[in-house]
Amino acid sequence: MNRLSMMEHVHLAGDEEEDMYSGFNDYSATLDTEDLQHDESFQKAVLRTSHGRRPPPTGKFPGMQAGRLATAARGRNAMPSSMGRQITGAVPADGAARPMTAVRAAGYTSAGNRGAGFDPMNIGAKGPAPPLEPKPEDSPEEKIKQLEKNVNQLIEESCFANSRGDLVLALEKAKEAGRKERILVRQRETQSMGDTINLDLTYSVLFNLANQYSSNEMYTEALNTYQVIVKNRMFSNAGRLKVNMGNIYFKQKNYPKAIKYYRMALDQVPNTHKEMRTKIMQNIGIVFTKMGQYNDAITSFEHIMSESPNFKTGFNLILCYFALGDREKMRRGFQKLLTVDLKIDDEEKYLAQTDEKQNNLVLEVIKNDALRKIERERKYEAERCLKTAVKIISPAVESTFSEGYDSCIEQVKNSQYVDLSHDLEIDKAIMFLKEKDFQQAIETLKSFEKKDSKVASTAATNLSFLYFLESDLQQADKYAELAMAADRYNPAALVNKGNVYYQRRDYEKAREMFKEAISNDSSCVEALYNLGLSNKRLSRLEEALDSFYKLHAIMRNSPQVLYQIADIYDQMEDTAQATEWFLQLIGVVPSDASVLARMGELYDAEGDKSQAFQYYYDSYRYFPSNIPVIEWLGAYYIDSQFCEKAVHYFERAAIVQPNQVKWQLMIASCHRRSGNYQQALETYKQIHRKFPDNVECLKFLVRLCTDLGLKDAQEYATKLKKAEKAKELKEQRATSGTRRSGSGRGTRDRDQQDRDGSAGRKGQRTNSGRTRGTLPDGDDDSFTGGQKDVDASYSDPLGPQMERPKTAAQRRNPHDDEFGDEELGDDLLPE
């Protein structure tokens, strides 16, 4: 029956059923073992077998764990076996347990306490494990390890301090590391551990100390430390440090010893280290060049160019040929320089050639990564070497500078650096400018008009600059437009266009051009400065101040920027801020006489005469020919009743302006005020001989002669009447020119009002007592030394922008440390 039921589930290979695996999931109740524990017939059957008579594996009763097959329940008194023998592991009535086997099993005991946990090592009886014993910190080995760690940390701190530029701290850390390293060595020797000395640590300490000595220019100490390393034969490859010793001798200009140590280092460097040997030979060649031994230098450089050519060595080789005047070798050296490989990829590699976003993102990342920066630096160095070499050898390789330059440009066009030829032609035009051959420069730049847009924009920018310098605004405007048409985003062209508008007094359009230039290049300092001037002209002082503040953030100590900020605050009548910024300016240019005079003017307006006198006096010391300052100092001493001291300043003014009678009249007046009438009389007589028609002088002569009882009083009185009649006739003749004079005065007033919008405010200050250098009127003086208020800020034509490095040139007077007789100008000329 069972066999038949089993055959029902057998499937032959030829069976036509589609599912070959059907029936495998069918379940038979016969195979169910989950309910066997509760099956009484099954349990009785089990008890009759030998398996049911076996003792339980533990002292626990069956059924304690769910899901396990239950066995016969045996307690502490187990059922005897069928042979009448006590069952193994059972506990008899007397309590003595029979061992389970002859060999005691791991983890089990012969005792009857079968409820105990698993404890093979008997750990429970001993209690918890004691904590690990820490190693004693005062042991010699631990002390030595800690010292080594401290020394290494000090070396690292010294190196980091050196990289930050804190050379003093770096040297202190290096010295401290040396002291601790010596303590470490002594401890090793004390503990008889001399064989375990860390030579690498000693080498690191000495090498770092020598480097820090050299960085702090303590060359003697550095050389001594290097000698300690070099002479110790336990240090491997220490001989290479002789290169560093040679570098120190080079800095000390001890060139023979530098060559000696370079050669010693070269002998100790194996031939496999070609790059190291090349650098040492380059140093040897440079030292020979410094010593004037050009033939020896050429030998070194030529060997390097044959083994591992590079631009620096090739350029130095050309310099040596130039020093010897060897024209043919200069040509060959320049050709050799053009064959040097930069070993960088093409620019096309960084151009997006597909529409795949992933590739474009990768290109954007690698455009400015570290490797790309190295490539740019190499390219820049190559271009700099080539351009400088052309400037040096072009006058020497041909009969004229122009022919030599053309020859070099042709060689560049036939080389891998063909893109550099246009830059060289621009440089050629600039060289013509330096030689003041403006016509040749203009012709050279005009040849670029039909070239590609970038070169044409550069040439047009420089042409606009040249015509602007020649005050040809029409041509300057034309080429500025051409430069903008070729490259609308060229900030230099926009600045030139703005300068033309500024010169034509169209400040609003100039302002727009400068703003556009800044939007294209936010670091264009010329555009920022000129934008500030334009806003200043338009009386937009707040906007002008904002521009100069931005420029101040870029050029922290620029005197022009500091002056403009101070001047704007002065026009805004913020005296405190103006004073603060003028003081900053004096800190940058302490010897500028005009700035010192401006500070004196500010303190004079505030009523602080002592401070005003100090600044005016300092201004006089630096520039003793400034008439307004001289006049103020003379008036100050007259007000202070020290007329004899005022004489010195008026005598100086008379020397500067010998044809001005007022200074000599003031000298005579000072003598008269101080009671020296005889000297005053002599002075008036000298004035009368030089200016016989001066009415004021004759009046004082008549008065003095009358007071002194001299006979000349009548003679001078007669001359006085004739002089007064002549003066009346002159005034009548000049009546017809009064209108013309008034018209000229009106023009001057309009010019004054156009100057930074400060005429009204300046006039208010003058009326309120800020008249600089006004001489006092005496009761008996017919001369009043009224001095018009001089506007200290003026604006000359703005300088145009060349296509060159954007640096703000300073318009200076012949004095190196002064800005001129006037205050700082409102112009910003590029170099």
Side-chain angles (χ1 to χ4, degrees), residues 198-214:
N198 192 344
L199 290 176
D200 292 338
L201 184 63
T202 305
Y203 180 87
S204 300
V205 169
L206 292 173
F207 181 62
N208 180 59
L209 181 60
N211 278 334
Q212 303 309 331
Y213 276 134
S214 179

Side-chain angles (χ1 to χ4, degrees), residues 448-449 451-461 478-490 493:
F448 287 95
E449 291 184 14
K451 297 289 179 69
D452 58 87
S453 61
K454 182 178 180 181
V455 178
S457 177
T458 303
T461 300
K478 170 188 172 183
Y479 283 101
E481 286 287 350
L482 289 175
M484 292 166 58
D487 184 6
R488 181 67 186 184
Y489 299 100
N490 183 357

Side-chain angles (χ1 to χ4, degrees), residues 422-423 425-431 433 438 441-446 448 454-470 475-476 479-484 490 492-493 496 800-805 830-831:
H422 297 312
D423 294 339
E425 291 182 6
I426 294 289
D427 290 344
K428 178 184 175 183
I430 295 174
M431 292 294 289
L433 288 178
F438 297 105
I442 291 173
E443 291 178 3
T444 304
L445 292 172
K446 282 184 176 180
F448 287 95
K454 182 178 180 181
V455 178
S457 177
T458 303
T461 300
N462 291 340
L463 281 170
S464 175
F465 165 77
L466 290 175
Y467 284 119
F468 191 94
L469 291 181
E470 293 178 350
Q475 289 293 326
Y479 283 101
E481 286 287 350
L482 289 175
M484 292 166 58
N490 183 357
N496 280 350
Q801 169 72 49
M802 282 194 73
E803 185 79 347
R804 301 186 59 195
E831 294 180 353

Side-chain angles (χ1 to χ4, degrees), residues 634-655:
Y636 173 79
Y637 280 116
I638 291 176
D639 289 341
S640 303
Q641 304 299 322
F642 293 105
C643 298
E644 61 277 5
K645 290 186 177 181
V647 171
H648 167 74
Y649 295 101
F650 292 129
E651 287 177 349
R652 170 69 67 174
I655 293 173

